[in-house]
Amino acid sequence: MNEFKKTNIENPVVVIGGGASGMIAAWRAASLGVPTLLIEKNKKLGIKILISGGGKCNITHDGNIEDLLKSFQKNEALFLKPSVYKFNNRSILKLLEERGVETYTRDDGKIFPKSNDASDVIAALEWYLRNAGVEIRTDCSVQEIIFENNCVTGVKLNNEIIYSSNVILATGGVSYPQTGTTGDGFRFIEKTGHTIVPLRPALAPIKLSNKFPYGWGGVAIRDAELICLVNNRKTHSERGDFLFTHEGISGPTVLELSKYAAMELANNKVELILDTQPDKDATMLDSEIQQLIGLHPNKQIGNIAGLFLPNRLVNHFLNSINIDPEKECRKLIKEERKQLVKLIKEMFIGTIDTIDITKGEVSAGGISLKEVDPKTMQSRLVKGLYFCGEVLDIAGRIGGYNLQAAYSTGFTAGESAAINYKSQSTTP
Ligand SMILES: Cc1cc2nc3c(=O)[nH]c(=O)nc-3n(C[C@H](O)[C@H](O)[C@H](O)COP(=O)(O)OP(=O)(O)OC[C@H]3O[C@@H](n4cnc5c(N)ncnc54)[C@H](O)[C@@H]3O)c2cc1C
């Protein structure tokens, strides 16, 4: 039998998980003057931040609050609204800038530290934690949350019980489990009656059943539309850049589409096609090609097709529809032209084999938003239990939105837990 060390001292606020959301939650609670304990199972805080944005950390996204919210699904945006209004992209940038972390904004709105080094972000957040007096316990894994009569009463460690009536669950999702996110939080609340919306991949690489020739690796198609075909029906599409890699496919379109494709994959055959000219419909494209052929009758068709398809692969694609790339344009028959248009508008990419949840930038699903008060992040089922970050059923787009959701919900959770503690300690 395990002997538990019982510390009878009540900890005003306990935060489980030292990622982006947990760090902001702990800092906010402590900065309101409430003693706060932050427990992280890794030896260091913020391990996932360290690998974010390829190690550069896409901290947040530029734009006003309504624009930020638009990058989430409607129900997520509605839930996030009060938190993002409290703590937005300007708020996190101000905090970081005050600690000397200068940032820059890319043309696409993504914001990074000027140093392109994610560890600068972690160092600044750690400074705030220590400055606010947060007690930090790393290399310390919570095993259980303890509840009594629908109220939280503390957390169990390996051989210790820590009492608290304000516990913030910030244990993240289930992607990249090597960073500590092994879904512990979902297990902790199993018995509380909270609904866990099934976890599934999001922003994850898609593995196809087919392979492409090695030489295709690195070929990018800019501003294309990747379309998901479920039993030959178009179900979802994403616009942006698409990339052939040595292993298969990648790029923002692929990552964004993964969440929707994964939902279908369990029961259906899911195929991908690519529209390399999404601004033109087939009729427009056909007449443009006819015009070009009229202007350059003696040119090779490969040259004309190269205006719409990646140059490195034009010959391959034309051969795949039985058109000789060296054929003179004037010799192209109508049926061949139609085939070319179809190729440009509906290039078959492949059938999806798997989408691995552990390889996603985030995992979709998590604690149902319906059971959490968006103004406080407090559970509607268990008093004193708060949630923030990816443990919630929120999965934003690429661009710094997921970290922003983590900071905003963390801020609200920390603030509410501190206010709750203060009201408990003044109640006679
Ligand atoms: C490769 C990659 C790149 C990404 N790039 C970006 C990006 O550039 N911009 C962006 O906005 N988002 C990015 N994301 C997503 C973003 O990093 C996450 O959404 C965000 O970090 C979630 O924060 P969180 O605090 O909710 O969870 P996490 O950061 O995952 O933190 C949860 C913490 O809880 C700890 N924990 C879990 N269980 C226990 C336990 N039992 N006891 C104690 N501690 C526990 C974990 O060890 C972990 O440190 C990326 C994600 C990945 C994987």
Side-chain angles (χ1 to χ4, degrees):
M1 272 278 272
N2 241 346
E3 271 300 302
F4 283 102
K5 189 172 100 193
K6 296 187 182 180
T7 35
N8 279 330
I9 311 152
E10 165 91 11
N11 285 266
V13 173
V14 172
V15 182
I16 314 171
S21 67
M23 283 197 272
I24 293 287
W27 160 73
R28 182 59 183 157
S31 65
L32 291 174
V34 174
T36 302
L37 170 65
L38 173 62
I39 305 173
E40 165 55 51
K41 74 166 152 184
N42 289 322
K43 288 195 167 70
K44 289 184 171 167
L45 298 175
I47 295 290
K48 205 168 253 177
I49 297 180
L50 206 58
I51 59 165
S52 68
K56 294 178 185 166
C57 186
N58 175 193
I59 303 166
T60 185
H61 204 92
D62 196 23
N64 62 37
I65 292 175
E66 291 304 318
D67 286 340
L68 285 182
L69 291 171
K70 270 186 209 143
S71 67
F72 294 90
Q73 286 182 358
K74 267 201 182 121
N75 70 318
E76 297 173 337
L78 210 63
F79 178 85
L80 284 171
K81 198 169 181 169
S83 290
V84 179
Y85 266 89
K86 270 193 192 146
F87 192 84
N88 62 28
N89 46 2
R90 297 291 131 212
S91 324
I92 185 70
L93 293 176
K94 185 164 177 281
L95 267 192
L96 295 175
E97 274 156 23
E98 278 172 9
R99 287 304 304 153
V101 181
E102 289 185 63
T103 59
Y104 68 94
T105 307
R106 281 186 2 183
D107 290 346
D108 59 6
K110 292 181 181 174
I111 301 178
F112 292 86
K114 258 192 187 153
S115 62
N116 282 324
D117 187 349
S119 62
D120 289 349
V121 175
I122 301 169
L125 295 180
E126 277 201 64
W127 182 89
Y128 280 106
L129 290 171
R130 294 187 201 284
N131 188 51
V134 173
E135 183 189 341
I136 303 170
R137 285 176 75 167
T138 49
D139 205 5
C140 176
S141 182
V142 170
Q143 301 299 317
E144 219 179 293
I145 301 181
I146 329 166
F147 308 97
E148 242 178 72
N149 304 324
N150 293 334
C151 293
V152 74
T153 53
V155 302
K156 241 182 214 177
L157 308 180
N158 266 334
N159 50 11
E160 187 180 345
I161 293 178
I162 293 179
Y163 290 100
S164 178
S165 36
N166 295 292
V167 172
I168 300 176
L169 189 65
T171 45
V174 291
S175 78
Y176 280 73
Q178 65 274 29
T179 65
T181 43
T182 44
D184 301 7
F186 305 118
R187 187 171 47 78
F188 295 160
I189 62 153
E190 256 169 13
K191 55 188 170 210
T192 61
H194 265 286
T195 311
I196 312 289
V197 177
L199 299 161
R200 44 189 208 283
L203 303 182
I206 292 178
K207 190 167 174 275
L208 300 173
S209 340
N210 46 309
K211 291 228 175 324
F212 301 109
Y214 186 78
W216 290 29
V219 174
I221 304 181
R222 303 276 170 224
D223 197 19
E225 186 174 2
L226 184 64
I227 301 158
C228 196
L229 280 189
V230 178
N231 305 326
N232 283 326
R233 198 171 41 85
K234 291 182 184 180
T235 56
H236 189 85
S237 70
E238 285 292 336
R239 181 128 178 209
D241 295 344
F242 173 91
L243 190 70
F244 289 104
T245 65
H246 295 305
E247 286 82 34
I249 54 173
S250 187
T253 47
V254 175
L255 297 179
E256 298 285 8
L257 198 83
S258 64
K259 181 164 77 171
Y260 304 93
M263 285 197 280
E264 304 286 359
L265 199 56
N267 305 311
N268 297 297
K269 177 179 173 188
V270 186
E271 293 169 311
L272 298 177
I273 56 172
L274 191 73
D275 181 350
T276 66
Q277 297 292 318
D279 285 331
K280 298 165 189 161
D281 67 20
T283 319
M284 277 166 73
L285 185 63
D286 190 31
S287 44
E288 190 176 337
I289 293 174
Q290 281 188 64
Q291 265 183 13
L292 287 164
I293 290 174
L295 286 170
H296 310 285
N298 299 325
K299 263 198 173 170
Q300 296 179 354
I301 191 60
N303 291 329
I304 300 295
L307 298 172
F308 306 101
L309 294 167
N311 268 315
R312 245 167 78 188
L313 308 183
V314 162
N315 288 0
H316 167 88
F317 285 131
L318 288 176
N319 286 327
S320 76
I321 52 169
N322 298 320
I323 298 178
D324 177 3
E326 293 183 0
K327 190 173 194 167
E328 289 170 9
C329 284
R330 64 191 157 83
K331 292 188 183 157
L332 200 74
I333 60 170
K334 183 176 170 191
E335 194 44 46
E336 287 174 323
R337 210 185 63 235
K338 297 276 178 211
Q339 284 292 319
L340 176 59
V341 169
K342 190 161 189 289
L343 173 72
I344 296 168
K345 293 291 293 172
E346 295 178 23
M347 181 190 293
F348 181 72
I349 298 297
T351 305
I352 299 182
D353 178 37
T354 42
I355 306 176
D356 186 348
I357 194 165
T358 65
K359 305 239 166 71
E361 285 200 9
V362 282
S363 45
I367 292 156
S368 169
L369 303 184
K370 292 182 189 148
E371 295 159 3
V372 182
D373 180 351
K375 293 202 181 89
T376 60
M377 293 296 139
Q378 186 167 198
S379 158
R380 293 194 198 271
L381 310 182
V382 181
K383 205 163 174 294
L385 179 63
Y386 301 81
F387 305 106
C388 55
E390 210 182 307
V391 79
L392 291 159
D393 178 24
I394 293 173
R397 297 178 70 83
I398 299 170
Y401 301 107
N402 286 301
L403 280 173
Q404 183 61 52
Y407 320 129
S408 299
T409 53
F411 186 89
T412 301
E415 184 167 283
S416 315
I419 292 171
N420 197 33
Y421 171 75
K422 284 182 180 176
S423 71
Q424 286 162 345
S425 51
T426 52
T427 312

